[in-house]
């Protein structure tokens, strides 16, 4: 059985200033909403955060920008957030932009014990300047090093009490790789069920990657509501 | 760019897709191509955030906050769709399993270099999945205006903006023409309605090879 937290403050209490965190989600989908809010309340600072995006001004990781808790962001796209832009221009926030596929694979590699890999993404662009490239079969590739985190904060749909996880639709995104790449992984889930209630055939993230779970109500804010034209 | 011109380009781009293709459409104008897929084709659209089989936009009742495309718009999933991680998604992309990617462009060079992610001096928002896509999909089609708002060519001898990918573009579709990137140089294959061969040559910086089968009033 895994640690099942009942308080979000307790679930993040072991996170210290200056740590490197991975935070799941793509846009606002599949983000651990309440764990992020608890980070804001607990006021951890100097955080390095690895996450595909940085939320919006008033939700998701954007909440941590309000009190300048993030020192450095490692992301593929951060264009949805005015406060982010302001802090980067003021030199208060460092940003490391990584092609999305490379970011996903760097995290996957980190969790899988692969220190680095070569990818064609970024060759011949500004991100390759001064970095190691190598030719394979007549084509040039860029070396990308793996990423790991002190703590990964992820969001799943269902967990059993052993920590096996199932994700819902496109809320899966970066969460499974981050579960494996965190020294400690805390999963915020919509529902906790008894061991044996999840079909082993349908588990996305095996329990070995998860150290703690907590159930939380999700607001699931929508960034771009788009509906069929009548 | 007026809506009509965007629709015209999207409709022309749709002709690039063949029945059975797995396709990735970039954010913005490329997403509009999905609105014009002909009924006699089955096209499976991939979204980088972990969806193969994007369906139409939902009705208000169908909206599901856990189901979005790479542009963060609410979408639906078709029958036969699958969900997966971003790592799996980009394995599909880098591994050469996506038949066609249609993306927007700021500049394309004679050798197929593409610039579409940053303008020096402006806030950098990030490349998202563009650098992976242009190096992974089997065929890269760029759709864009032929010239800038000031009337300057966007198809250049060399890109002036920082690159997204080097030598990656296969075909350029603009409001004025269809141009292929070949080993011998840029080859003009179609001229759009309302333009002459001279118009295209004058608004394109590199020298153009004119196809023997050049089609006028093509779209």
């Amino acid at each position: 059985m895994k640690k099942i937290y009942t308080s979000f403050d307790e679930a993040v209490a072991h996170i210290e200033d200056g740590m490197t965190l991975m935070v799941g989600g793509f846009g606002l989908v599949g983000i651990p909403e309440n764990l992020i809010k608890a980070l804001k309340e607990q006021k951890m600072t100097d955080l390095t955060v690895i996450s595909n995006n940085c939320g919006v001004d008033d939700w998701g990781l954007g909440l941590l920008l309000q009190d300048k808790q993030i020192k450095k962001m490692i992301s593929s796209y951060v264009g949805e957030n005015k406060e982010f832009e302001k802090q980067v221009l003021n030199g208060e926030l460092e940003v490391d932009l990584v092609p999305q596929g490379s970011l996903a694979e760097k995290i996957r590699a980190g969790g899988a014990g692969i220190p680095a890999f070569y990818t064609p993404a970024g060759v011949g662009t500004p991100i390759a300047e001064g970095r190691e490239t190598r030719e394979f079969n007549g084509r040039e590739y860029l070396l990308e090093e793996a990423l790991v985190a002190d703590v990964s904060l992820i969001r799943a749909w269902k967990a059993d009490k052993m920590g096996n996880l199932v994700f819902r639709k496109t809320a899966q995104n970066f969460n499974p790789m981050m579960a494996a790449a965190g020294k400690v992984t805390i999963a915020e889930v919509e529902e906790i069920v008894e061991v044996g209630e999840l079909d082993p055939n349908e588990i996305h993230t095996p329990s070995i990657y998860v150290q703690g779970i907590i159930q939380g109500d999700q607001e699931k804010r929508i960034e771009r509501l788009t509906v069929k034209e009548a | 760019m007026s809506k009509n011109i965007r629709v015209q380009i999207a409709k022309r781009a749709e002709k690039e897709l063949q029945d059975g293709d797995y396709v990735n459409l970039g954010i913005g104008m490329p997403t509009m191509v999905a609105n014009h897929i002909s009924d006699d084709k089955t096209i499976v659209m991939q979204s980088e955030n972990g969806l193969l089989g994007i369906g139409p936009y939902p009705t208000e009742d169908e909206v599901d906050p856990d189901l979005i495309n790479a542009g963060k718009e609410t979408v639906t999933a078709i029958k036969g769709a699958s969900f997966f991680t971003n790592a799996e998604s980009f394995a599909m992309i880098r591994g050469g399993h996506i038949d066609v990617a249609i993306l927007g462009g700021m500049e394309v060079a004679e050798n197929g270099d593409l610039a579409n992610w940053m303008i020096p001096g402006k806030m950098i928002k990030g490349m998202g999945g563009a650098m992976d896509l242009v190096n992974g999909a089997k065929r890269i089609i760029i759709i864009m205006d032929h010239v800038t708002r000031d009337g300057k060519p966007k198809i250049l001898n060399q890109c002036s903006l920082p690159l997204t990918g080097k030598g990656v573009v296969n075909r350029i579709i603009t409001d004025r023409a269809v141009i292929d990137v070949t080993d011998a140089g840029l080859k003009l294959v179609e001229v759009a309605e309302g333009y002459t061969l001279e118009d295209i040559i004058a608004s394109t910086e590199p020298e153009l090879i004119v196809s023997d089968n050049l089609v006028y009033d093509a779209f």
Side-chain angles (χ1 to χ4, degrees):
Chain A
M1 296 297 147
K2 290 288 157 63
K3 174 78 183 166
I4 300 175
Y5 294 98
T6 50
S7 130
F8 285 95
D9 285 346
E10 191 195 346
V12 301
H14 57 287
I15 295 173
E16 295 166 20
D17 292 350
M19 275 189 167
T20 295
L21 309 181
M22 286 183 185
V23 181
F26 182 99
L28 301 180
V29 174
I31 60 171
E33 297 181 4
N34 296 291
L35 288 169
I36 294 170
K37 281 199 272 187
L39 286 177
K40 179 171 173 62
E41 278 153 27
Q42 299 274 312
K43 300 185 167 48
M44 287 85 174
T45 59
D46 285 326
L47 299 171
T48 294
V49 178
I50 301 163
S51 190
N52 189 56
N53 315 97
C54 195
V56 295
D57 281 325
D58 62 349
W59 194 238
L61 287 171
L63 295 173
L64 305 188
L65 294 174
Q66 293 171 351
D67 301 316
K68 300 184 180 151
Q69 291 172 269
I70 303 178
K71 177 183 67 179
K72 181 179 180 182
M73 261 326 281
I74 301 174
S75 302
S76 84
Y77 188 84
V78 290
E80 317 292 358
N81 198 315
K82 287 193 190 73
E83 181 62 26
F84 191 98
E85 179 168 351
K86 201 178 102 195
Q87 291 186 21
V88 171
L89 293 174
N90 291 344
E92 294 166 318
L93 175 61
E94 210 183 316
V95 56
D96 193 356
L97 291 169
V98 181
Q100 194 183 132
S102 300
L103 182 64
E105 192 64 14
K106 282 157 81 82
I107 298 166
R108 198 198 70 80
I114 308 281
F117 59 91
Y118 287 97
T119 176
V123 169
T125 77
I127 69 153
E129 277 165 24
R131 291 171 56 193
E132 182 180 336
T133 59
R134 187 170 157 185
E135 204 177 292
F136 295 92
N137 304 317
R139 190 173 175 194
E140 197 181 353
Y141 294 84
L142 178 64
L143 185 72
E144 288 282 5
E145 292 185 31
L147 290 170
V148 292
D150 296 306
V151 180
S152 286
L153 302 177
I154 65 162
R155 223 285 292 294
W157 181 24
K158 291 178 187 176
D160 68 18
K161 289 180 176 174
M162 279 183 78
N164 289 301
L165 303 179
V166 176
F167 301 90
R168 189 170 177 277
K169 300 191 179 181
T170 55
Q172 185 172 172
N173 55 62
F174 284 83
N175 285 298
M177 294 84 77
M178 288 181 171
K183 282 178 209 153
V184 174
T185 292
I186 309 295
E188 174 173 344
V189 304
E190 294 176 54
E191 188 184 354
I192 297 175
V193 300
E194 293 302 324
V195 174
E197 283 186 43
L198 296 179
D199 181 349
N201 285 306
E202 290 175 2
I203 285 167
H204 292 117
T205 291
S207 65
I208 193 167
Y209 299 123
V210 178
Q211 281 68 49
I213 47 181
I214 182 164
Q215 189 168 314
D217 292 335
Q218 305 297 313
E219 276 189 38
K220 298 194 183 180
R221 289 196 194 174
I222 293 175
E223 212 166 328
R224 294 218 173 89
L225 178 66
T226 325
V227 293
K228 209 180 271 182
E229 284 173 37
Chain B
M1 198 185 325
S2 79
K3 186 165 186 227
N4 285 347
I5 292 173
R6 290 160 67 94
V7 168
Q8 178 196 11
I9 296 176
K11 284 184 172 171
R12 176 58 192 83
E14 186 275 339
K15 293 195 167 63
E16 301 294 317
L17 306 181
Q18 293 177 6
D19 188 33
D21 276 352
Y22 287 90
V23 176
N24 183 295
L25 301 177
I27 293 163
M29 183 166 57
T31 303
M32 288 175 60
V33 176
N35 303 337
H36 302 284
I37 307 277
S38 119
D39 291 338
D40 57 4
K41 287 184 217 172
T42 302
I43 303 293
V44 181
M45 282 175 291
Q46 197 247 20
S47 188
E48 295 99 292
N49 55 318
L51 166 57
L52 189 62
I54 309 173
Y57 290 124
T59 62
E60 280 184 33
D61 292 342
E62 288 171 336
V63 167
D64 183 335
D66 285 337
L67 183 48
I68 61 166
N69 64 15
K72 293 157 190 145
E73 298 171 324
T74 47
V75 292
T76 57
I78 60 167
K79 279 182 188 168
S82 51
F83 301 118
F84 36 83
T85 69
N86 278 66
E88 181 75 48
S89 178
F90 282 93
M92 270 172 215
I93 289 168
R94 265 188 255 97
H97 306 282
I98 301 290
D99 296 298
V100 184
I102 301 178
L103 305 171
M106 294 174 184
E107 294 177 347
V108 179
E110 191 172 18
N111 64 354
D113 288 357
L114 169 69
N116 74 350
W117 76 286
M118 68 174 278
I119 299 172
K122 289 202 176 174
M123 174 66 189
I124 304 169
K125 294 182 169 186
M127 68 292 281
M131 290 186 182
D132 312 88
L133 266 168
V134 296
N135 284 289
K138 285 184 205 159
R139 195 166 148 72
I140 303 295
I141 295 167
I142 300 303
I143 60 176
M144 62 180 193
D145 280 326
H146 203 91
V147 297
T148 65
R149 279 186 202 140
D150 311 331
K152 298 204 176 85
K154 295 177 68 164
I155 304 172
L156 304 167
N157 293 330
Q158 275 191 320
C159 292
S160 65
L161 297 169
L163 296 187
T164 306
K166 213 169 164 48
V168 293
V169 177
N170 298 106
R171 175 167 270 199
I172 311 160
I173 300 174
T174 74
D175 51 321
R176 300 184 183 186
V178 176
I179 295 172
D180 282 336
V181 179
T182 74
D183 291 340
L186 295 179
K187 187 177 197 176
L188 177 64
V189 291
E190 292 181 19
V191 177
E193 263 175 54
Y195 293 95
T196 65
L197 174 60
E198 290 68 34
D199 291 334
I200 307 304
I201 290 171
S203 57
T204 310
E205 189 180 63
E207 209 166 298
L208 292 170
I209 303 161
V210 178
S211 167
D212 295 340
N213 306 311
L214 181 67
V215 182
Y216 287 95
D217 295 334
F219 61 99

